[in-house]
Amino acid sequence: MEVSDAISSESGSSIYRYPGFLPFLIGRLASVCALQIQAVVVAWQVYDATRDPLSLACVGLAQFIPMLLLLLPAGDLIDRYDRKRILAVSWAVEALCGGLLLWLSLGDTLNTAAIYAVLALFGCARAFTGPTLQSLLPQVVPRERLAAAIAANSMIMRGATIAGPLFGGGLYALGGGPLSYAFCMAAFLLGLGLLRWVPVRFAEPLKTLEATAWQRFTAGIVFIRSRPIVLGTISLDLFAVLLGGVVALLPIYAQEVLQVGPEGLGALRSAMAIGEVLVGLYLSVRPFDRHVGLTMFAAVALFGLANLVFALSSLFWLSFLALLVAGGADMVSMYIRSSLIQFSTPDAMRGRVNAVNMLFIGSSNELGEFRAGSSAAWFGTVPAAVLGALCTLTVTGGWMWGFKSLRRVDRFEDASPAAVPEAPAIPQHEGAAAV
């Protein structure tokens, strides 16, 4: 049977049965679990050794600053070289970091300076891992299966985000830092080994760019600005999360508004993730491809309304339900956003565009927590949450008016490069290598 015939016959089956997708998914699941476990264990060890809250901030900064500095150059390299090899190298470096943390945890005293140095190296690797994974996926599955693959991928990430910290706490209680870091190292090596069974079928020929390094690094930003669909999609998510997120306020709500204690706080924190996983599981089996622009705006509006209900609620069950709905709406938005970005971006630009997208997502999460906390300090907890939800609804209405092309998108294919104006070209010539 010809390859094209085989691909055609596979198109009607479940995305999980598509050749190469399941090893890709398991590898990513292993790496995300390892990331979550390592984050929990490192934070616990460092704080236990220092008893200084500032040390926890240093744990985050040690990873975030290298990522911030390297994301744009990483996107350029991802578009110029073999993405599968870049992912292999980044996972190998992350496995090395797990081994170094294992070695450091075997000593009598914890060397926090060395821990920060290892975390900085880990942050460098993460700058490549995220954009590479997003850019490699469209080279593994065909365009007609891409939306279902994105839904499954998003669901797995959220599931790992829930299970990883719980599993990490259990590992640490069972065998301390050495057992936890040994598991993380093994998980990264598992992802690395599974890449052998991930065929790259849909890659375009690599191109050697003749532009300056600065032009290449900023090409993702230039491209996003030239495509209203991509710009509207990314900026809508940025401001919706930045202005309307309530996760940072959950401890205050649990103690002072709902009066449910730490168990209730754990349930509230899991509510959004449960909603995301349930909707993600459904979308991975029953993806949709009609009225995607309007559906995205509706999902973001529902996210804002659910957060408004949470902000005004004094009943635990209603607050839990509101966060569950907000999580489900966020998964729909994430599914559409990721699909539109992938369909709108030529393969040769995916690394740089996904790097910028990752930068936006990271900024919205970090700054969103700061915004929520500072607003609660200035206006009070409930007024801050209400104001944030109203801002999300205002942003949704403004973006519907300002980005008409995004609102009018019916199918994901309508956002493909052939269906929208071309971005400003960067001088280039064909290279001889292919993925």
Side-chain angles (χ1 to χ4, degrees):
M1 180 184 291
E2 296 292 335
V3 172
S4 59
D5 294 335
I7 293 173
S8 177
S9 66
E10 292 156 358
S11 62
S13 61
S14 169
I15 185 62
Y16 299 102
R17 298 176 61 185
Y18 193 85
F21 179 68
L22 195 57
F24 176 89
L25 202 62
I26 295 173
R28 187 163 196 185
L29 173 63
S31 68
V32 175
C33 280
L35 173 65
Q36 296 294 325
I37 292 169
Q38 181 175 292
V40 169
V41 175
V42 166
W44 180 273
Q45 281 189 320
V46 170
Y47 185 73
D48 190 49
T50 63
R51 295 294 173 180
D52 182 5
L54 185 60
S55 64
L56 296 178
C58 294
V59 167
L61 285 176
Q63 300 174 77
F64 183 70
I65 291 176
M67 285 181 60
L68 185 66
L69 296 176
L70 288 177
L71 270 173
L72 294 182
D76 173 52
L77 292 174
I78 291 165
D79 284 337
R80 295 169 62 199
Y81 297 101
D82 187 327
R83 292 168 185 170
K84 189 173 170 180
R85 292 180 182 177
I86 292 176
L87 180 59
V89 171
S90 63
W91 273 347
V93 173
E94 290 174 1
L96 172 64
C97 291
L100 292 173
L101 291 172
L102 167 61
W103 176 65
L104 290 171
S105 66
L106 292 173
D108 295 331
T109 59
L110 191 69
N111 187 337
T112 54
I115 291 285
Y116 295 146
V118 174
L119 293 178
L121 177 61
F122 189 77
C124 294
R126 284 188 64 193
F128 289 85
T129 304
T132 305
L133 282 165
Q134 295 292 334
S135 304
L136 181 62
L137 181 58
Q139 296 183 341
V140 175
V141 299
R143 288 178 67 86
E144 62 268 18
R145 310 308 309 279
L146 186 56
I150 289 172
N153 194 57
S154 301
M155 178 199 62
I156 286 295
M157 287 184 61
R158 295 309 301 165
T161 303
I162 299 171
L166 297 175
F167 192 50
L171 280 175
Y172 190 80
L174 185 63
L179 177 62
S180 304
Y181 295 132
F183 181 89
C184 293
M185 182 174 62
F188 287 124
L189 291 175
L190 172 62
L192 180 61
L194 286 172
L195 285 178
R196 178 181 179 184
W197 288 278
V198 180
V200 177
R201 294 180 173 181
F202 307 99
E204 296 179 1
L206 292 175
K207 296 180 179 180
T208 303
L209 304 180
E210 295 178 338
T212 65
W214 177 253
Q215 287 176 314
R216 296 198 310 270
F217 293 169
T218 58
I221 299 174
V222 173
F223 177 87
I224 290 171
R225 290 180 59 189
S226 71
R227 299 293 178 95
I229 291 176
V230 181
L231 177 61
T233 299
I234 293 178
S235 58
L236 176 62
D237 175 73
L238 168 66
F239 287 105
V241 175
L242 177 63
L243 299 175
V246 297
V247 174
L249 301 178
L250 292 183
I252 305 176
Y253 264 87
Q255 292 186 35
E256 300 181 5
V257 179
L258 303 175
Q259 299 179 348
V260 291
E263 298 83 0
L265 174 60
L268 291 174
R269 288 191 65 91
S270 66
M272 288 189 68
I274 292 172
E276 290 173 340
V277 170
L278 291 176
V279 174
L281 179 61
Y282 175 82
L283 291 175
S284 69
V285 178
R286 299 289 299 274
F288 64 87
D289 189 19
R290 292 302 306 272
H291 312 298
V292 294
L294 285 176
T295 303
M296 180 176 182
F297 282 115
V300 177
L302 181 59
F303 174 80
L305 286 172
N307 283 339
L308 181 60
V309 172
F310 171 82
L312 296 172
S313 171
S314 59
L315 302 173
F316 175 76
W317 67 267
L318 181 59
S319 300
F320 183 90
L321 182 61
L323 292 177
L324 190 74
V325 172
D330 188 48
M331 174 55 72
V332 174
S333 172
M334 184 191 310
Y335 162 73
I336 298 175
R337 180 180 71 250
S338 300
S339 299
L340 284 176
I341 292 173
Q342 296 285 26
F343 277 88
S344 298
T345 308
D347 190 60
M349 288 290 302
R350 282 201 173 101
R352 285 163 286 181
V353 171
N354 284 318
V356 176
N357 184 38
M358 186 174 175
L359 185 61
F360 273 58
I361 292 173
S363 300
S364 66
N365 291 334
E366 298 291 336
L367 296 178
E369 292 188 3
F370 174 77
R371 189 278 313 163
S374 59
S375 297
W378 294 338
F379 309 122
T381 302
V382 174
V386 171
L387 180 62
L390 293 176
C391 286
T392 297
L393 295 173
T394 302
V395 166
T396 304
W399 261 240
M400 285 188 70
W401 177 80
F403 291 91
K404 295 182 177 63
S405 58
L406 176 58
R407 188 183 70 213
R408 294 168 181 165
V409 174
D410 183 27
R411 298 179 181 273
F412 291 123
E413 282 289 347
D414 296 341
S416 63
V420 293
E422 287 297 324
I426 297 176
Q428 56 190 14
H429 64 78
E430 295 290 339
V435 176

